[in-house]
Amino acid sequence: MIPPQEASARRREIEDKLKQEEETLSFIRDSLEKSDQLTKNMVSILSSFESRLMKLENSIIPVHKQTENLQRLQENVEKTLSCLDHVISYYHVASDTEKIIREGPTGRLEEYLGSMAKIQKAVEYFQDNSPDSPELNKVKLLFERGKESLESEFRSLMTRHSKVVSPVLILDLISGEDDLEVQEEVPLEHLPESVLQDVIRISRWLVEYGRNQDFMNVYYQIRSSQLDRSIKGLKEHFRKSSSSSGVPYSPAVPNKRKDTPTKKPVKRPGTIRKAQNLLKQYSQHGLDGKKGGSNLIPLEGRDDMLDVETDAYIHCVSAFVKLAQSEYQLLTDVIPEHHQKKTFDSLIQDALDGLMLEGENIVAAARKAIIRHDFSAVLTVFPILRHLKQTKPEFDQVLQGTAASTKNKLPSLITSMETVGAKALEDFADNIKNDPDKEYNMPKDGTVHELTSNAILFLQQLLDFQETAGAMLASQETSSSATSYSSEFSKRLLSTYICKVLGNLQLNLLSKSKVYEDPALSAIFLHNNYNYILKALEKSELIQLVAVTQKTAERSYREHIEQQIQTYQRSWLKVTDYIAEKNLPVFQPGVKLRDKERQVIKERFKGFNDGLEELCKIQKAWAIPDTEQRDKIRQAQKNIVKETYGAFLHRYGSVPFTKNPEKYIKYRVEQVGDMIDRLFDTSA
């Protein structure tokens, strides 16, 4: 049982808590009442605001719609006014641009093209919107007039500013290929830069808007003329320079080089000049031949103009390649891509045809020269053909994309030259073999025959053109479809040909030697010619070329030379036989000679004296141009005669075979030697 005190305390505690809870509940009720009141007020405010918004919306939306419609109407009005202004501007284009079109594009191309653009737009507008309008015809006529003015301006610019390339500049351009040192490239400006840009603008406008290709014909005609004239000018430069100084020069272009320009001779192609110089060298060593009965026109008499024409043609070929390359570069800037090849083909035709025609004329002249046996003239084909074949890769590259007929022109000319060259080689060998023996034209002194010097000169010339000559011969050996052949094959063919010419020459010389009645002179003649041939072979590369197919050629010629020397020496037997020991009488020393013995000794002395005098008189007029050979033959003969005569004189000089010994002993041994030393010396 709870004590009363605790129960009373417990009750008070419960009562206090209850009172606190009641106070809390009362506060909550007051708060809820306030919240409800605030909620009612907010709802009232929101309801009022919603009502007002609805009223405002109902008032604003119609106004907004009206404003939007008004803005749209304003924009339409503005667009309409703009279109009207634009349309009206087309009606003013003709009057605004007529003066500019009438005055032309010269000096104000940009402004002119701007006016043409306006006229073109006007034409397009009237065609689309008012095809029956008189304004259409007006702007059309103005457009056509403007287009014609642009075409005229194009022609005028090309005509006024297209200049012939000077020969000096062309020669610098060509010679730059052969320089070992890298030099500044020679500039080649066909048109001033400002003019070129105008030409390009006009050409592009004519293609894009003018729908006109006539300007391309104008372009190629003008540039074709300049190209052709440039090449002809170079050829004329060669002629004038050669006539005045002998060698055309190529001075560097003024104000284009960094260094001080100097004159330099144009590199000349290999011609007969080298062979002629070799002949002069042989002449200095006593190997020159005299005029003989050759049916061949002498090479050394060849007109230098042939060399000039050859050099000019070769340089014109190189000039064509360089100028054509330059023309194509210029053309690519001016002519549309799909028209470039055709226009370029037309552009180069005149210059190319001129070169090919001149080449064919050279071939025709060579054929005529072959007929009259003027093989020196035929030799012009060799350097030209070599240059054409060397230049062919560049030619093919330049002509890439042109018509087949254009591409085939150079190969056709090369074939013609190879054919005529092979014909010349064949006929030359035949003429060497069949050159007639003309007794009245044979060298009286037995020196080198002109046939020999001509043959050697011709063969010397082939050294400069071994590949070309070999290819000529090979072209006749192979079928028309087999155009490829090795250089070794060509070299063997050329070696065989040279051996054939030398063989024919040897046979002809043997035949000619029979014209001489004196076998000794015949031997001297053959000796001189064989020696000339051998020395000429040895002093050049001919001996190596001959050795390709004939290893013993050099030894064979030496044997022939020695054989002729021995034949010549036999001519002295009729002199030495008189005093040879085997033909002398035998007698006892101190025993008086019988009349018969004295008579025999007299006859021996007289026969020797007469024979010596006769031979010395005759053979003094003969010639052995080679100093070395002349001294060798003299010395050998002098030794034989002096030895024989010395022995004879020693044996019979003191024998009393006559009362007048001076009548028979006319010469001392030294005198005999001196007489022989004067053999083969027409000046003695």
Side-chain angles (χ1 to χ4, degrees), residues 8-264:
S8 177
R10 180 72 174 166
R11 188 171 50 250
R12 283 193 302 273
E13 183 180 351
I14 293 171
E15 287 176 353
D16 290 337
K17 288 184 178 180
L18 181 63
K19 186 177 180 179
Q20 291 176 356
E21 293 293 333
E22 287 177 352
E23 289 176 356
T24 302
L25 180 63
S26 176
F27 176 76
I28 293 172
R29 284 195 186 99
D30 292 340
S31 297
L32 287 173
E33 288 177 358
K34 290 179 180 180
S35 177
D36 289 341
Q37 185 63 41
L38 290 172
T39 301
K40 289 179 181 179
N41 292 336
M42 182 61 67
V43 169
S44 176
I45 291 170
L46 290 174
S47 298
S48 175
F49 185 72
E50 181 181 8
S51 175
R52 290 178 180 181
L53 281 176
M54 289 179 66
K55 290 179 181 179
L56 179 63
E57 182 179 355
N58 292 333
S59 300
I60 291 300
I61 287 176
V63 174
H64 174 72
K65 289 182 178 179
Q66 290 177 1
T67 302
E68 189 177 32
N69 290 334
L70 287 173
Q71 288 176 342
R72 188 178 296 112
L73 289 173
Q74 183 180 2
E75 290 176 358
N76 290 338
V77 170
E78 290 176 352
K79 288 181 179 179
T80 302
L81 291 174
S82 177
C83 288
L84 287 174
D85 290 340
H86 183 67
V87 170
I88 292 171
S89 69
Y90 288 128
Y91 286 87
H92 294 290
V93 165
S95 59
D96 291 343
T97 60
E98 185 175 7
K99 180 180 179 182
I100 296 175
I101 299 303
R102 184 175 63 252
E103 292 176 353
T106 304
R108 52 176 181 177
L109 182 60
E110 289 297 328
E111 181 184 4
Y112 192 89
L113 291 178
S115 297
M116 289 298 293
K118 293 179 182 179
I119 296 171
Q120 184 179 9
K121 289 179 180 178
V123 171
E124 292 172 353
Y125 171 80
F126 288 121
Q127 284 178 336
D128 294 339
N129 299 280
S130 183
D132 297 329
S133 170
E135 290 295 328
L136 175 60
N137 293 331
K138 191 172 183 180
V139 291
K140 266 188 175 182
L141 182 63
L142 196 59
F143 182 82
E144 291 300 320
R145 188 188 305 168
K147 185 171 71 172
E148 291 175 0
S149 294
L150 282 173
E151 293 171 357
S152 298
E153 179 69 4
F154 183 89
R155 179 187 293 274
S156 175
L157 289 173
M158 291 297 301
T159 303
R160 284 187 287 115
H161 296 283
S162 290
K163 305 298 182 183
V164 174
V165 183
S166 71
V168 170
L169 183 56
I170 295 175
L171 289 173
D172 274 347
L173 194 67
I174 297 172
S175 62
E177 298 177 337
D178 301 324
D179 292 345
L180 296 177
E181 299 180 359
V182 178
Q183 293 186 350
E184 181 183 351
E185 184 179 355
V186 178
L188 192 58
E189 185 181 71
H190 293 292
L191 295 171
E193 184 60 28
S194 59
V195 174
L196 176 60
Q197 293 305 318
D198 286 351
V199 168
I200 293 173
R201 289 292 308 278
I202 294 174
S203 69
R204 289 177 180 174
W205 189 93
L206 290 174
V207 171
E208 186 174 355
Y209 303 109
R211 305 292 190 272
N212 190 337
Q213 298 180 5
D214 291 343
F215 77 94
M216 300 181 195
N217 296 332
V218 172
Y219 177 87
Y220 92 71
Q221 289 169 1
I222 294 174
R223 294 307 309 167
S224 175
S225 174
Q226 301 304 323
L227 175 62
D228 192 40
R229 289 169 59 193
S230 297
I231 294 176
K232 288 179 179 177
L234 176 63
K235 185 176 181 181
E236 188 63 27
H237 173 75
F238 263 82
R239 289 176 176 170
K240 291 181 179 178
S241 299
S242 298
S243 61
S244 60
S245 62
V247 179
Y249 286 98
S250 170
V253 182
N255 302 323
K256 297 293 184 181
R257 302 285 194 186
K258 295 180 180 179
D259 300 328
T260 303
T262 56
K263 288 187 176 182
K264 58 181 178 181

Side-chain angles (χ1 to χ4, degrees), residues 162-437:
S162 290
K163 305 298 182 183
V164 174
V165 183
S166 71
V168 170
L169 183 56
I170 295 175
L171 289 173
D172 274 347
L173 194 67
I174 297 172
S175 62
E177 298 177 337
D178 301 324
D179 292 345
L180 296 177
E181 299 180 359
V182 178
Q183 293 186 350
E184 181 183 351
E185 184 179 355
V186 178
L188 192 58
E189 185 181 71
H190 293 292
L191 295 171
E193 184 60 28
S194 59
V195 174
L196 176 60
Q197 293 305 318
D198 286 351
V199 168
I200 293 173
R201 289 292 308 278
I202 294 174
S203 69
R204 289 177 180 174
W205 189 93
L206 290 174
V207 171
E208 186 174 355
Y209 303 109
R211 305 292 190 272
N212 190 337
Q213 298 180 5
D214 291 343
F215 77 94
M216 300 181 195
N217 296 332
V218 172
Y219 177 87
Y220 92 71
Q221 289 169 1
I222 294 174
R223 294 307 309 167
S224 175
S225 174
Q226 301 304 323
L227 175 62
D228 192 40
R229 289 169 59 193
S230 297
I231 294 176
K232 288 179 179 177
L234 176 63
K235 185 176 181 181
E236 188 63 27
H237 173 75
F238 263 82
R239 289 176 176 170
K240 291 181 179 178
S241 299
S242 298
S243 61
S244 60
S245 62
V247 179
Y249 286 98
S250 170
V253 182
N255 302 323
K256 297 293 184 181
R257 302 285 194 186
K258 295 180 180 179
D259 300 328
T260 303
T262 56
K263 288 187 176 182
K264 58 181 178 181
V266 174
K267 184 177 181 181
R268 303 192 64 169
T271 61
I272 192 175
R273 194 176 305 281
K274 180 179 178 181
Q276 291 173 335
N277 291 336
L278 285 170
L279 179 62
K280 292 178 181 178
Q281 294 176 11
Y282 301 152
S283 301
Q284 293 171 0
H285 291 84
L287 291 179
D288 195 9
K290 295 186 177 180
K291 298 294 182 181
S294 172
N295 192 36
L296 305 173
I297 296 178
L299 299 183
E300 57 268 34
R302 181 169 180 241
D303 191 350
D304 282 344
M305 282 305 296
L306 287 176
D307 280 342
V308 174
E309 294 296 329
T310 300
D311 290 352
Y313 185 75
I314 286 175
H315 283 85
C316 285
V317 169
S318 294
F320 172 81
V321 172
K322 287 297 182 183
L323 293 177
Q325 290 172 342
S326 181
E327 286 292 345
Y328 189 76
Q329 292 173 357
L330 177 66
L331 178 142
T332 55
D333 292 331
V334 180
I335 305 299
E337 184 176 0
H338 54 287
H339 292 285
Q340 289 173 1
K341 295 296 183 183
K342 182 179 178 181
T343 305
F344 180 69
D345 196 341
S346 301
L347 188 154
I348 62 174
Q349 283 304 314
D350 286 347
L352 182 60
D353 286 344
L355 284 177
M356 295 303 107
L357 177 60
E358 190 171 351
E360 290 297 340
N361 289 339
I362 292 171
V363 172
R367 290 195 182 101
K368 293 179 181 178
I370 292 173
I371 294 174
R372 65 178 185 270
H373 302 155
D374 181 8
F375 295 99
S376 62
V378 179
L379 289 173
T380 58
V381 171
F382 285 74
I384 293 173
L385 177 58
R386 180 176 64 181
H387 186 72
L388 290 179
K389 295 178 79 170
Q390 290 173 344
T391 314
K392 187 176 182 298
E394 289 185 88
F395 245 100
D396 293 341
Q397 185 177 6
V398 169
L399 301 183
Q400 187 177 4
T402 58
S405 58
T406 302
K407 295 178 182 177
N408 291 333
K409 288 180 179 180
L410 181 63
S412 177
L413 178 59
I414 289 176
T415 300
S416 297
M417 287 194 170
E418 282 192 330
T419 302
V420 76
K423 174 66 173 173
L425 293 175
E426 178 185 352
D427 281 22
F428 182 80
D430 290 342
N431 274 275
I432 291 294
K433 181 179 180 179
N434 301 319
D435 187 68
D437 304 325

